[in-house]
Amino acid sequence: MRYSHKLSDAIHILAYVSIYQDGDLSSATIAASVESNPALVRRLMGALRRAGLLTTQQGSATPKLTRDATAITLLDVYRAVEEDGNLLHVDDKTNPKCVVGANIQDTLREAYDEVQRAAEVQMKQQTLAQIIAGILTRHHAKTQ
């Protein structure tokens, strides 16, 4: 199974832009922090821009958050970068002639919908500001 890192990379980008707002904010520099490539960073920044979380100017490495980090939730970022928006996915290829195979999909969809709703409630309560505070707290503890 493949895991998506889009959410964590997008949060990384937003935190980087906030913390280093007066520094080098080129996609290459941010990509070095993410340990990814500049093209991926630009794609994620584009999604964040389309979602209204980030402003960018073509030809200028000056991205900025569109609002205070306290007003950006993990759910905002998640919805910006995850295409289908579902945390969990049902295997649609099961045997319809089997009791389990014929009924598991709808049963799991109900359960997964409940999990999705609960996760979104929690993601709405976590802000980018809290993530940034955690980053800076850990950094300061390590440098003491």
Side-chain angles (χ1 to χ4, degrees), residues 4-64:
S4 172
H5 297 129
K6 288 180 189 177
L7 178 60
S8 62
D9 289 348
I11 294 168
H12 187 136
I13 290 166
L14 292 171
Y16 191 96
V17 166
S18 178
I19 292 169
Y20 290 106
Q21 57 191 320
D22 296 323
D24 180 358
L25 297 176
S26 67
S27 57
T29 301
I30 297 171
S33 178
V34 177
E35 288 198 351
S36 185
N37 64 64
L40 171 77
V41 168
R42 285 191 295 275
R43 273 195 307 277
L44 287 172
M45 288 175 84
L48 294 167
R49 185 184 71 249
R50 286 188 294 281
L53 302 176
L54 194 66
T55 60
T56 59
Q57 285 185 293
Q58 193 166 358
S60 173
T62 56
K64 291 183 181 10

Side-chain angles (χ1 to χ4, degrees), residues 69-139:
T70 59
I72 297 174
T73 68
L74 268 58
L75 184 59
D76 295 329
V77 182
Y78 180 74
R79 287 182 174 160
V81 299
E82 292 294 344
E83 288 86 31
D84 75 3
N86 291 318
L87 292 169
L88 306 171
H89 303 278
V90 174
D91 181 358
D92 288 321
K93 296 177 185 172
T94 57
N95 183 351
K97 295 178 184 173
C98 169
V99 171
V100 177
N103 297 289
I104 188 117
Q105 294 154 340
D106 289 338
T107 304
L108 280 178
R109 279 188 189 93
E110 287 176 12
Y112 288 1
D113 285 348
E114 218 174 292
V115 169
Q116 183 76 33
R117 284 189 298 276
E120 288 184 8
V121 166
Q122 289 299 309
M123 291 171 83
K124 215 182 278 189
Q125 294 174 12
Q126 298 291 316
T127 67
L128 179 61
Q130 290 169 307
I131 300 297
I132 292 168
I135 291 167
L136 296 175
T137 298
R138 283 175 176 77
H139 170 72

